[in-house]
Amino acid sequence: MELSTPAGFESLTRSVAEQLCADRTEQDGDTGRVRIVYADGRALEFTPNRPRTRITVTAVLPEQATAHGIEVKAITVTALPRPRPSESQAKATARHTADHIRQRLLPAHTAALAELRERTAPQVATLQRADAALAGFLDRPRGGVAISEQPVHRPLGWTARCAVAWWHTLDRPSRAVAPFMADVLRRAGLATTEPHGSGYVFFAEPPAEQPDTRFRIAPAAGGKGWDLVDEFTGACVRTYDDREWAQGIAESANGEEDAARRAALHPSPGGELPARCWPTRSQVPGFPAGRRAG
């Protein structure tokens, strides 16, 4: 098995990906590492060890895993296993590597993602706090307050469990009532997100220590494009088809958060901060036209 060239190493990872029923392979720039990616977003990273007779395979975890002390130990596999009769060295290496991943890495990867999902799930106290805050919204024959958890798909195979509130009607969640519910939840001290075009209000306890970055972009969980994700609530604010444009929106939103924090601005009954408006390309003079997702 020739692993001394990027082409040879990528050929191996493609063979392993086929055996593991993964979706595709991706080269990591000029680092020499290659990832195999599953359809659900899970990813494994392959690194050739010098003198390229062994391979290190790492399960890629979301950034939140580090904050919760969750990790999966990498495994190392020989690149020169003994071939079976009538089996080439290339096929033997791919089979041997895939077998070790199934037995030693994938179970730990699945367990780590499940642990992360549990650790980041909304707390009962948070749901009760939101319920008490929204008690003033009296149920009506054609609608009322609903509070629940909603699974939100994220890259790397992680499904976050997020707290969400909405005003339910006979047809769908009411977009007209959502801003008022979000305002009440913010007054109760909760962080909120109102995804673009949605009647849902995602909410969560604000972090004890304000991070430098609240909004980030991630590969869209629902298909092509880039999600603008609120790290506080786990909600996808909006999806864009252009990575550079999405990154610019994220930087602008984080700038607003930082400015508000530095100025110690807090909502008060006498004057609320204006709602954040996420612009489209057509609203920015000179920006090239294109499809917007979400």
Side-chain angles (χ1 to χ4, degrees):
M1 168 59 75
E2 178 58 54
L3 300 179
S4 61
T5 65
F9 190 62
E10 187 178 16
S11 177
L12 168 65
T13 58
R14 283 199 302 269
S15 297
V16 175
E18 290 178 3
Q19 295 205 27
L20 295 176
C21 298
D23 186 57
R24 64 186 185 277
T25 62
E26 298 176 349
Q27 284 189 311
D28 187 9
D30 298 326
T31 63
R33 296 189 292 266
V34 179
R35 286 187 178 186
I36 68 171
V37 183
Y38 288 83
D40 64 3
R42 287 176 299 147
L44 305 175
E45 189 170 80
F46 290 66
T47 305
N49 291 354
R50 300 193 181 197
R52 296 182 182 269
T53 59
R54 299 182 70 80
I55 305 163
T56 297
V57 188
T58 306
V60 183
L61 292 174
E63 295 179 3
Q64 291 86 344
T66 302
H68 291 277
I70 298 173
E71 62 179 5
V72 176
K73 291 184 178 180
I75 65 171
T76 302
V77 183
T78 179
L80 298 172
R82 186 189 299 273
R84 294 172 178 173
S86 303
E87 184 181 49
S88 67
Q89 184 63 66
K91 289 185 177 181
T93 302
R95 170 187 52 77
H96 179 78
T97 303
D99 287 345
H100 275 265
I101 291 172
R102 289 192 194 95
Q103 297 170 15
R104 300 167 55 195
L105 191 60
L106 291 184
H109 194 190
T110 300
L113 292 173
E115 182 181 358
L116 179 61
R117 186 162 53 248
E118 290 302 316
R119 290 209 187 179
T120 55
Q123 299 298 309
V124 173
T126 301
L127 299 175
Q128 292 174 340
R129 185 175 171 188
D131 186 54
L134 296 173
F137 283 78
L138 299 177
D139 287 353
R140 302 177 184 275
R142 292 180 176 272
V145 171
I147 297 175
S148 182
E149 292 183 20
Q150 185 174 104
V152 178
H153 297 295
R154 291 281 173 261
L156 306 179
W158 181 43
T159 300
R161 291 166 56 188
C162 303
V164 62
W166 69 96
W167 180 268
H168 68 83
T169 67
L170 296 178
D171 297 325
R172 63 181 65 86
S174 171
R175 294 172 58 183
V177 180
F180 298 98
M181 296 178 67
D183 180 61
V184 170
L185 292 173
R186 284 192 295 269
R187 290 172 185 267
L190 297 168
T192 67
T193 308
E194 300 167 64
H196 176 75
S198 166
Y200 292 106
V201 179
F202 287 76
F203 62 91
E205 299 286 349
E209 296 183 4
Q210 293 288 332
D212 294 334
T213 301
R214 174 172 178 175
F215 298 94
R216 65 178 178 85
I217 63 170
K224 295 182 178 180
W226 296 87
D227 286 344
L228 177 63
V229 178
D230 184 348
E231 291 281 10
F232 287 9
T233 66
C236 169
V237 181
R238 196 167 185 171
T239 301
Y240 298 89
D241 64 341
D242 185 89
R243 188 182 193 282
E244 184 177 351
W245 177 246
Q247 184 61 49
I249 296 296
E251 292 174 358
S252 176
N254 285 319
E256 291 180 25
E257 285 291 319
D258 184 62
R261 187 165 60 249
R262 290 176 181 275
L265 295 177
H266 299 287
S268 64
E272 298 296 333
L273 290 174
R276 197 178 268 107
C277 177
W278 308 101
T280 62
R281 297 180 179 190
S282 61
Q283 295 171 324
V284 181
F287 195 89
R291 180 184 64 83
R292 174 187 59 76

